[in-house]
């Protein structure tokens, strides 16, 4: 099972805290059973929110790089390219 991301932890925690406060203020309960039910409902809602936050997907990116040219003797040079598979996003630099 993959580890939760920072976004999942943040969204789930904020949901638990704010939904607990909202339900306690709106219900105005003071009994222990009512508070326990609200706390369990807030935890379930926080878990649901945390699990529905999309997980980042590892992408395979095809990068086209020009092939290195060798000095041509008597043949005409042919342009070629090489495809390299990268497992992380590739940041291209602007031509200067």
């Amino acid at each position: 099972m993959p580890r939760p991301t920072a976004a999942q932890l943040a969204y789930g925690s904020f949901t638990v805290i704010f939904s607990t406060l909202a339900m306690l203020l709106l219900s105005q309960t003071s009994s222990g059973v009512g508070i326990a039910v609200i706390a369990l409902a807030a935890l379930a809602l926080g878990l649901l929110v945390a699990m529905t936050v999309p997980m980042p997907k590892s992408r395979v990116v095809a990068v086209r790089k020009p092939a290195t040219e060798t000095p041509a003797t008597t043949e005409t040079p042919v342009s070629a390219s090489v495809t390299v598979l990268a497992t992380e996003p590739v940041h291209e630099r602007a031509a200067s």
Side-chain angles (χ1 to χ4, degrees), residues 2-91:
R3 298 176 68 180
T5 62
Q8 287 177 314
L9 291 173
Y11 285 143
S13 299
F14 290 140
T15 302
V16 169
I17 292 168
F18 290 122
S19 63
T20 302
L21 288 174
M23 286 188 280
L24 285 173
L25 290 173
L26 290 173
S27 68
Q28 297 179 354
T29 185
S30 60
S31 69
V33 175
I35 293 172
V37 168
I38 288 174
L40 287 175
L43 284 173
L45 185 61
L47 182 64
L48 177 70
V49 167
M51 296 308 290
T52 56
V53 172
M55 294 285 290
K57 295 179 180 162
S58 61
R59 298 179 357 189
V60 175
V61 180
V63 179
R64 298 187 67 78
K65 294 183 178 181
T68 58
E69 294 184 20
T70 58
T73 55
T74 58
E75 301 170 0
T76 56
V78 177
S79 63
S81 62
V82 177
T83 301
V84 179
L85 294 179
T87 58
E88 296 182 7
V90 176
H91 304 285

